[in-house]
Amino acid sequence: MSAPNPTAAIVVIGNEILSGRTQDVNVRYLAKRLAELGIALREVRMIPDEREVIADTVNALRAAYDHVFTTGGIGPTHDDITSESVAAAFGVPWEPHPEAWALLSRHYPPGEFNAARQRMATMPRGAELIPNPISVAPGFSIGNVHVLAGVPRIMQAMFEALAPRLDRGPPILQRAVHARGLLEGRLAAGLEEIQRRYPMLEIGSYPYYRESGSGVAIVAKGTDTEAIEAAVRDAAALIESLGAEPVAGEPAL
Amino acid sequence: MSAPNPTAAIVVIGNEILSGRTQDVNVRYLAKRLAELGIALREVRMIPDEREVIADTVNALRAAYDHVFTTGGIGPTHDDITSESVAAAFGVPWEPHPEAWALLSRHYPPGEFNAARQRMATMPRGAELIPNPISVAPGFSIGNVHVLAGVPRIMQAMFEALAPRLDRGPPILQRAVHARGLLEGRLAAGLEEIQRRYPMLEIGSYPYYRESGSGVAIVAKGTDTEAIEAAVRDAAALIESLGAEPVAGEPAL
């Protein structure tokens, strides 16, 4: 990974992930988009809806990385406690946010902006809103922590609204070449040699098992386009030298 | 969550998850199976293939939870460094494991048990093998840390081979009731009251947006079957009191 890429961590907040009820898909979306924006995702934590755990996790990660993204726990019900927990993490009051309050009180019919919904307009002091073009109730940034919804469609819309505000680095690219029928144990020595030749890249090796046949995908990742091209060429040559046919790109599903 | 359930954390090891190349599906599988076995999954961390990060993460989590499961990074290539990193975490030598060595040297044709494959038979001293009925190379347990493959089919087979060795608690059950067309903001006050009535349960509220219509699913989770039944009945009554029809179970996809 080249030096100038800002770093990031994701905190997935929600008992429904830890119980297996819900398959998380937000991490992958954010991972891809962050790479495109030149932000290096370094860690993900999935934690329960518990105030102290959320506050401690946010504090540990905001000290370690340039950006922290949280998903989940910003709705109106009793188990939605991300916002107040982030306020606790920053040691600031959790209080009505004038702009969010105005937005939501306009949105609901008279008498329906109830106590539960008012919680969605209550935020850590100093929070900057992240617009929600899908369901109105906004996310927010405070310091380097960006608080997003858990529902994927809403999370994605919020992230895209936030993206222009994020400082970024050179895009992190990856290219793959794969070979059917080859085993990792035969590729390993040559691949290690390729990794040594391109220390600015991450060279990964991923066996796959598909209906259409098994094999190994080799992935070169980094910010140096020429090095990525060269490493993929070297990997293709390695595959050929072992009597298999290199195929550009990822294996089909 | 009732007291007698042992706790667990999962460490997903792999750059391919953090780059968005691969959608993790192991967390959900393990989450469901652990709940069935009465083991409470408390935290998941997804981290890169880096020795110090792996060792530090394993050490933090094995001190905090009864069980730690790792997935990924136990193949033969240069980026497979989970095993040596776990040895570093425990401060024990990383050395040929006689049983694994015998298994793998028998498995490969003469001359093909090469240096890369020998790494898959090299383990922290004191490791106890976890059988791999799919592709032979075993996982292992050391202390309360269980090292599994990353490929889902192999990970699952290893986990099932390991499961009988794990100490467990009463099964953690969940039941759901949902209502189409209802908004969380109308349910919130009543739901908080239900959570107060059943402090031994986790009551969760999850909005959904499906082609067939949106709504809210209410989930009661815990080890007390009677309390779960009663909480779901109360949630159904709450839904009816708001003029909607409660439907047992999760909303269809």
Side-chain angles (χ1 to χ4, degrees):
Chain A
M1 196 63 56
S2 82
N5 289 106
T7 58
I10 299 170
V11 189
V12 175
I13 299 167
N15 295 339
E16 72 278 22
I17 303 290
L18 296 174
S19 74
R21 176 183 180 272
T22 303
Q23 169 67 54
D24 171 77
V25 294
N26 289 333
V27 166
R28 192 180 191 195
Y29 181 90
L30 289 173
K32 286 181 172 181
R33 290 291 291 124
L34 290 171
E36 288 168 4
L37 298 178
I39 298 171
L41 177 59
R42 298 279 305 159
E43 183 170 354
V44 176
R45 297 197 190 178
M46 299 175 165
I47 58 172
D49 305 312
E50 292 176 20
R51 193 165 329 218
E52 217 181 319
V53 176
I54 298 170
D56 290 351
T57 302
V58 164
N59 276 337
L61 297 178
R62 74 187 174 100
Y65 304 105
D66 295 316
H67 295 289
V68 177
F69 301 88
T70 75
T71 67
I74 62 168
T77 55
H78 67 279
D79 54 340
D80 290 308
I81 57 169
T82 297
S83 176
E84 59 205 85
S85 305
V86 170
F90 279 82
V92 299
W94 188 60
E95 62 188 16
H97 186 291
E99 207 182 327
W101 197 276
L103 196 70
L104 288 177
S105 63
R106 267 200 314 274
H107 172 68
Y108 291 105
E112 293 196 16
F113 185 44
N114 60 23
R117 286 165 173 157
Q118 289 171 9
R119 297 183 67 241
M120 298 194 291
T122 309
M123 294 184 176
R125 182 178 293 175
E128 185 178 356
L129 297 191
I130 301 174
N132 171 356
I134 309 278
S135 57
V136 185
F140 62 85
S141 299
I142 176 170
N144 60 343
V145 177
H146 313 288
V147 175
L148 308 174
V151 173
R153 208 158 54 98
I154 303 173
M155 192 286 298
Q156 293 169 19
M158 284 185 177
F159 180 81
E160 298 309 334
L162 167 68
R165 301 212 301 245
L166 300 172
D167 49 282
R168 49 185 80 184
I172 301 165
L173 309 167
Q174 49 183 308
R175 278 195 54 201
V177 57
H178 67 101
R180 267 209 226 166
L182 215 52
L183 292 171
E184 275 195 305
R186 295 193 59 217
L187 280 163
L191 265 191
E192 189 169 8
E193 182 49 40
I194 295 176
Q195 174 68 81
R196 256 197 295 268
R197 212 175 295 148
Y198 303 98
M200 74 295 272
L201 303 180
E202 279 172 16
I203 310 293
S205 164
Y206 306 105
Y208 59 86
Y209 303 83
R210 304 275 160 83
E211 302 242 324
S212 53
S214 2
V216 178
I218 299 171
V219 175
K221 192 177 91 172
T223 56
D224 180 336
T225 323
E226 281 177 37
I228 291 174
E229 298 288 332
V232 166
R233 268 199 309 275
D234 289 3
L238 171 65
I239 289 169
E240 271 184 329
S241 77
L242 295 167
E245 195 198 341
V247 182
E250 295 279 352
L253 275 174
Chain B
M1 195 65 55
S2 83
N5 289 107
T7 59
I10 298 172
V11 189
V12 175
I13 298 166
N15 295 338
E16 74 277 21
I17 303 291
L18 295 176
S19 73
R21 177 183 179 271
T22 303
Q23 168 67 55
D24 170 77
V25 294
N26 288 333
V27 166
R28 191 179 192 197
Y29 181 90
L30 289 173
K32 286 182 173 182
R33 290 291 290 126
L34 289 170
E36 288 168 4
L37 298 177
I39 298 171
L41 177 60
R42 296 280 306 160
E43 183 170 354
V44 177
R45 297 198 190 178
M46 298 176 165
I47 58 171
D49 305 311
E50 293 176 20
R51 193 166 329 219
E52 217 180 319
V53 176
I54 298 170
D56 289 351
T57 303
V58 164
N59 275 339
L61 297 178
R62 75 187 173 100
Y65 303 105
D66 296 316
H67 295 289
V68 177
F69 301 89
T70 76
T71 67
I74 62 167
T77 56
H78 66 279
D79 54 339
D80 291 306
I81 57 169
T82 297
S83 175
E84 58 207 85
S85 305
V86 170
F90 280 83
V92 299
W94 189 59
E95 63 187 17
H97 186 289
E99 207 181 326
W101 198 275
L103 197 69
L104 288 177
S105 62
R106 267 201 315 273
H107 172 66
Y108 291 105
E112 294 195 17
F113 185 44
N114 60 23
R117 286 165 174 159
Q118 287 170 12
R119 297 181 68 240
M120 298 194 291
T122 309
M123 292 180 177
R125 183 177 291 173
E128 186 178 354
L129 299 190
I130 301 174
N132 171 355
I134 310 276
S135 57
V136 184
F140 62 86
S141 298
I142 176 169
N144 60 341
V145 177
H146 312 287
V147 174
L148 308 174
V151 173
R153 209 158 53 99
I154 303 175
M155 192 287 298
Q156 293 170 20
M158 283 184 176
F159 180 81
E160 298 310 332
L162 168 67
R165 301 213 298 247
L166 300 172
D167 48 281
R168 51 186 78 183
I172 301 164
L173 309 166
Q174 48 183 307
R175 277 195 56 200
V177 58
H178 68 102
R180 268 210 226 167
L182 215 52
L183 292 170
E184 275 195 305
R186 295 193 59 217
L187 279 163
L191 265 190
E192 188 168 10
E193 181 50 41
I194 294 176
Q195 175 68 81
R196 255 197 296 269
R197 211 174 297 148
Y198 303 96
M200 74 296 272
L201 303 181
E202 279 173 17
I203 309 294
S205 164
Y206 306 104
Y208 59 87
Y209 303 84
R210 303 277 159 82
E211 301 242 324
S212 54
S214 7
V216 178
I218 298 170
V219 175
K221 192 177 91 172
T223 56
D224 181 335
T225 323
E226 280 178 38
I228 291 174
E229 300 286 332
V232 167
R233 266 198 311 272
D234 290 2
L238 171 64
I239 288 168
E240 271 185 327
S241 77
L242 295 167
E245 195 198 340
V247 183
E250 296 280 352
L253 275 175

